[in-house]
Amino acid sequence: MSNNKTSSSENSDIKPVSHFIRHIIDNDMKQNKNNGKLVTRFPPEPNGYLHIGHAKSICLNFGLALDYQGICNLRFDDTNPEKEDKEYIDSIKDDVKWLGFSWSEEPKYASDYFAQLYGYAIELIKQGKAYVCSLTPEQAREYRGSLTQAGKNSPHRDQTVEQNLDLFERMKQGEFGEGERVLRAKIDMASPNINLRDPIIYRIRKIEHHQTGNEWCIYPMYDYTHCVSDAIEGITHSLCTLEFEDHRPLYDWFLDQLQTPSHPQQIEFARLNLNYTITSKRKLKQLVDDKHVNGWDDPRLPTISGLRRRGYTSASIREFCDRIGVTKVDGMVDMSTLEFCIREDLEHTAPRAMCVINPLRVVIESIAEDLVEDLSAPRHPKDESMGRRSLKMTRVIVIDQSDFEEAPPPKYRRLTIGSEVRLRNSYVIKCESVVKNEQGEVIELRCIHDADTLGKKPEGRKVKGVIHWVSEQYSVPAEVRLYDRLFSVENPEEAAKKHEEDESHFLDFLNPDSLTTMVNARAEMSLADGQSGDSFQFEREGYFTVDSDSDSDSDSGHLVFNRTVGLRDSWAKIEKKN
Ligand code: ATP
Ligand code: MG
C-alpha cells in the first residue's frame, strides 16, 4: 500500500516547469554545444544524511537528465575523511533511489580520481602555477588580507619548480606533519576575490579514508577536486548553489590551466530554505549527536529519511521541488507548501480509517451488552476500487475526549449532555449523563442511540455534528505520535545570529512541544495489519503512517502511527485554538 511512485516518466504528459537553467540548456542544445549531450551530477559529501534541500538539487539534476535524455552521475565528494562515513554513503544511495531516480553506472567517488588529481597538481607545479607553502595557519590567515585589504605574497611563493616538486613529493611520502605544509595555487594575492588569493590545493591529513584506506596522507581541497572531477566525468552543466558563485572564477581557473578532457559550465541556483526548520547538515548532525531528536530519521527532521518515516511519499517531495521552482534569488519557502503537497497526494491514495487518539468511554445503554453489529464503510469516499472495511458496533465504544464538552461554547457541534451527534458510518447517539471520577473529571458518557438512523437522517430533527469512534472491544491499542514544528521561530539560524557568535544558539529555539506521544489511542480493526510505511487518513484527524517501531506481527501487536500532516493547515488551526 505504499505510495512510492518511482518514475517521473509516469507524468511524461505533464510539461516540466521551465526555468533559467532549462533556458541555458535549450540554448546550448540549439547550438549543438557538447554535441547535444547533457551530463549532470549530484555531488553530496558523505558527512551526513540528505535533507529536503538536497532533494531540490536531486530533482533538478536527475530530472534534467531524464528530460533531455542525458545522464546524471551520483558522485560522492569525499575529500574530508575525518567527517565522512560509510553509513552516510549508504543512506544517500537509499535516499536518491527512494526519491525515484537512478544514476548512471556505479556511484562515483571523487576519491576515484585521487591519482589523476595528484597528476594534475604536478602539472600545475611544473607550469609554475602551484607551490608548497609552510606558513602556519595563523600566518596564512594574516597573509590572506581581508575584504578591504589585499593579501601579501607568501615567502615560499617564488621557490623553484624543482623545490616544489621535491616538497610536494615529501608531503605525499608523509615526511611532514599535518598543517606543516600545503600545496597552493599561484594566482593573485591582491585579487578582490579572496578565493583567488593563492587557495590551498592539497593539505596533509594522516587519517584513514573510507575508500582509499591509508594510500594517501595528502588530500585535495574541495574547489580543486570538484571542477577536475566534473571535467573527468564529462559533466556538461555543473549545477550548484549560489554560495559557489564567488568560487566560479577558481573553478574556471583550474580548468583553464589544465589539459582536462572537458571544461564544464558551472551554473548557480538558489538553495532551498524552509521555515521552522534547518537545512544544514552540520546543524542537523548536532541535533542528532546531542540527542535533541531520535536519530537522522526522526520524523521531525527535514531529512529525506525523516520525511519518509513521517509518511511523506517520494511523489509529494518531487511535486514540492517542482512547485518551488529554480531561481537565482535566495528566499524562504513556507512549510505549508510541503504539507500541501503531501496532503494532495494522500487525499487520493490513503485509505480512510477511524482512530480515537485520546479516548473517552461511551456506554450506549440502548444497545444490549452482548450485541455486536457488523457495519461497513468505504475505504475511500471517491474510489470504490479500494473496497470497504468492516466496523463493529457495540454497547461500549470510545470517542475522542475533544469531541465532548460538558459546558460547550455557543454553536458547539459535537457531543454535550442532552444533545445528539452522528457517529461516523453509524448511528445517531444522544448523551444522557456523565460519570465522573473523584477529581470531578468526566470519565464516561452514558448515551442512547436512535436505531432508525443507520444510513439515514433522523426523523423530524437535524443532527449537524459527526464524530469518529471505535468499538472498545473491537479495536486495537495504538501509540500515536503527533508532530509539530521542530523550531518555534521561522528562521532559527537567523534568530541565533542576533544573539552571539556561538554556533549552537539555534538550539535555544527548538520547539519543546515538537513531539506529543499519545499512548492510549484505539484504532479500528482494519488498521491492525498496517505495515511500516502504510498511510491512512484517520477520519477527522489527518494523515498518519505506520511507524517502523510498530510490531504488527507480535501478539502484543504494538502499533505506532506518525501524524504525517493534519487535514488542514495545522498552523491556522492552532492560531484559531489560542
Ligand atoms: P549543507 O550545507 O547542508 O552541509 P552542502 O552543500 O554542504 O549542504 P553537499 O553534500 O555538498 O552539502 O550537497 C550536495 C549538493 O546538494 C550540492 O550540489 C549542494 O549545492 C546541494 N544542496 C545542498 N543544500 C541545498 C539546499 N538547501 N538547496 C538546494 N541544494 C542544496
Ligand atoms: Mg558542500
Side-chain angles (χ1 to χ4, degrees):
M1 209 176 299
S2 98
N3 307 296
N4 189 358
K5 293 186 198 149
T6 50
S7 154
S8 77
S9 60
E10 285 168 48
N11 302 322
S12 55
D13 48 326
I14 300 168
K15 225 175 141 215
V17 186
S18 203
H19 50 67
F20 78 98
I21 297 180
R22 285 182 175 276
H23 295 162
I24 294 174
I25 297 172
D26 287 339
N27 247 325
D28 291 347
M29 292 288 180
K30 247 181 244 158
Q31 294 167 19
N32 204 34
K33 201 174 156 187
N34 312 305
N35 297 318
K37 288 212 183 74
L38 179 84
V39 185
T40 56
R41 86 285 171 266
F42 172 63
E45 183 179 356
N47 60 353
Y49 280 56
L50 297 181
H51 53 63
I52 185 75
H54 294 111
K56 173 176 178 175
S57 177
I58 292 169
C59 289
L60 176 63
N61 282 293
F62 286 95
L64 287 171
L66 279 174
D67 290 339
Y68 288 87
Q69 281 90 51
I71 57 174
C72 180
N73 292 342
L74 170 63
R75 185 204 314 143
F76 293 101
D77 230 324
D78 54 350
T79 55
N80 280 313
E82 69 270 38
K83 296 205 173 136
E84 297 162 7
D85 201 283
K86 174 96 172 28
E87 176 194 348
Y88 300 136
I89 292 178
D90 293 341
S91 76
I92 289 170
K93 288 190 214 165
D94 276 356
D95 287 348
V96 173
K97 271 192 246 166
W98 179 76
L99 276 172
F101 298 105
S102 16
W103 48 86
S104 166
E105 302 170 350
E106 287 298 301
K108 302 182 185 328
Y109 295 83
S111 55
D112 294 342
Y113 313 130
F114 279 173
Q116 278 155 289
L117 285 156
Y118 177 75
Y120 283 126
I122 301 274
E123 187 57 34
L124 283 175
I125 296 174
K126 286 185 178 161
Q127 289 181 31
K129 285 172 182 156
Y131 61 97
V132 173
C133 182
S134 64
L135 291 180
T136 63
E138 295 73 45
Q139 288 171 321
R141 207 168 302 130
E142 188 203 316
Y143 274 71
R144 197 177 303 128
S146 66
L147 284 173
T148 51
Q149 209 177 16
K152 287 185 298 189
N153 284 352
S154 156
H156 314 287
R157 205 174 196 261
D158 295 323
Q159 278 157 188
T160 63
V161 168
E162 287 66 34
Q163 281 173 314
N164 286 319
L165 285 173
D166 174 59
L167 285 165
F168 190 46
E169 172 65 21
R170 286 158 61 192
M171 274 173 71
K172 180 170 174 266
Q173 294 306 330
E175 206 174 292
F176 306 111
E178 293 191 358
E180 286 180 10
R181 295 287 189 288
V182 290
L183 181 71
R184 296 175 68 176
K186 194 175 189 176
I187 310 180
D188 179 6
M189 288 306 292
S191 172
N193 183 342
I194 292 184
N195 295 306
L196 296 179
R197 293 185 187 171
D198 291 11
I200 298 176
I201 307 178
Y202 267 91
R203 69 213 161 106
I204 299 167
R205 293 308 266 130
K206 297 199 166 165
I207 186 168
E208 192 174 298
H209 188 285
H210 48 98
Q211 301 299 314
T212 58
N214 291 307
E215 193 183 342
W216 298 88
C217 66
I218 53 170
Y219 290 99
M221 299 298 287
Y222 174 84
D223 279 328
Y224 172 65
T225 310
H226 198 75
C227 56
V228 173
S229 306
D230 279 350
I232 291 173
E233 290 177 12
I235 302 300
T236 55
H237 299 80
S238 176
L239 313 179
C240 61
T241 39
L242 281 180
E243 66 270 25
F244 289 100
E245 199 163 13
D246 289 346
H247 297 238
R248 184 170 7 112
L250 183 55
Y251 185 104
D252 289 329
W253 187 89
F254 282 124
L255 297 184
D256 285 341
Q257 316 310 312
L258 298 166
Q259 299 294 312
T260 49
S262 72
H263 187 144
Q265 178 183 5
Q266 175 179 312
I267 305 168
E268 308 87 18
F269 64 94
R271 60 186 292 122
L272 165 66
N273 300 303
L274 252 195
N275 64 6
Y276 296 99
T277 192
I278 45 170
T279 46
S280 150
K281 257 190 286 181
R282 198 161 30 83
K283 291 188 174 131
L284 290 171
K285 186 167 188 314
Q286 193 176 347
L287 291 179
V288 174
D289 288 347
D290 299 352
K291 303 212 175 349
H292 296 288
V293 293
N294 305 314
W296 282 100
D297 66 347
D298 187 301
R300 289 169 290 183
L301 291 181
T303 51
I304 309 284
S305 48
L307 289 167
R308 176 181 182 177
R309 187 167 173 189
R310 173 91 169 242
Y312 274 80
T313 60
S314 52
S316 70
I317 294 177
R318 291 195 305 263
E319 169 66 22
F320 170 74
C321 292
D322 265 359
R323 268 174 190 269
I324 57 172
V326 179
T327 70
K328 274 236 176 226
V329 190
D330 260 327
M332 178 79 88
V333 173
D334 205 294
M335 185 65 96
S336 62
T337 310
L338 183 60
E339 294 178 343
F340 174 86
C341 293
I342 186 60
R343 244 183 239 121
E344 208 180 47
D345 187 353
L346 294 179
E347 154 65 17
H348 300 292
T349 56
R352 274 41 173 178
M354 293 194 284
C355 177
V356 175
I357 294 174
N358 195 14
L360 173 62
R361 195 162 192 263
V362 176
V363 178
I364 304 170
E365 293 174 322
S366 51
I367 295 180
E369 244 164 65
D370 54 354
L371 189 101
V372 181
E373 186 179 359
D374 283 317
L375 301 177
S376 89
R379 286 189 191 272
H380 196 286
K382 292 187 191 135
D383 184 353
E384 273 180 35
S385 73
M386 290 173 81
R388 298 183 72 81
R389 59 201 220 255
S390 76
L391 302 167
K392 304 266 188 218
M393 186 68 194
T394 51
R395 177 181 165 92
V396 183
I397 64 169
V398 292
I399 65 169
D400 202 274
Q401 290 197 8
S402 65
D403 284 332
F404 174 81
E405 284 290 345
E406 214 182 348
K411 294 196 182 155
Y412 189 70
R413 284 200 178 177
R414 288 164 278 170
L415 199 55
T416 176
I417 299 171
S419 84
E420 284 184 308
V421 80
R422 154 92 52 198
L423 295 178
R424 180 126 179 102
N425 306 306
S426 178
Y427 298 94
V428 167
I429 59 166
K430 181 178 183 182
C431 178
E432 306 255 89
S433 63
V434 301
V435 179
K436 293 184 178 179
N437 63 11
E438 280 175 8
Q439 287 80 47
E441 296 156 347
V442 175
I443 51 164
E444 191 178 295
L445 306 183
R446 293 276 160 169
C447 297
I448 51 166
H449 80 304
D450 180 342
D452 196 26
T453 53
L454 188 63
K456 61 181 184 181
K457 288 183 182 157
E459 293 281 323
R461 58 201 199 278
K462 269 196 181 138
V463 174
K464 284 191 182 147
V466 181
I467 64 174
H468 59 286
W469 60 281
V470 295
S471 158
E472 188 183 59
Q473 190 186 350
Y474 294 95
S475 60
V476 284
E479 175 180 327
V480 177
R481 298 176 183 165
L482 304 173
Y483 300 103
D484 199 348
R485 304 283 195 257
L486 182 55
F487 287 92
S488 47
V489 295
E490 264 206 85
N491 189 342
E493 289 179 292
E494 196 57 38
K497 261 187 217 155
K498 283 178 200 141
H499 272 238
E500 266 173 52
E501 286 296 283
D502 180 3
E503 283 261 317
S504 49
H505 255 292
F506 73 99
L507 297 171
D508 297 353
F509 303 99
L510 277 169
N511 174 7
D513 302 320
S514 59
L515 168 62
T516 308
T517 306
M518 308 297 287
V519 291
N520 295 319
R522 305 284 316 180
E524 69 169 65
M525 299 303 288
S526 77
L527 291 167
D529 337 300
Q531 298 297 312
S532 173
D534 286 353
S535 286
F536 299 91
Q537 185 194 98
F538 288 176
E539 299 192 63
R540 298 183 64 240
E541 290 287 3
Y543 294 98
F544 292 75
T545 294
V546 181
D547 188 75
S548 49
D549 283 348
S550 281
D551 187 3
S552 61
D553 296 333
S554 79
D555 285 343
S556 59
H558 187 59
L559 259 182
V560 182
F561 290 99
N562 293 318
R563 180 169 66 196
T564 311
V565 68
L567 287 177
R568 280 166 292 276
D569 192 336
S570 54
W571 224 216
K573 203 160 94 189
I574 285 165
E575 268 161 13
K576 235 184 274 159
K577 248 195 228 164
N578 291 341

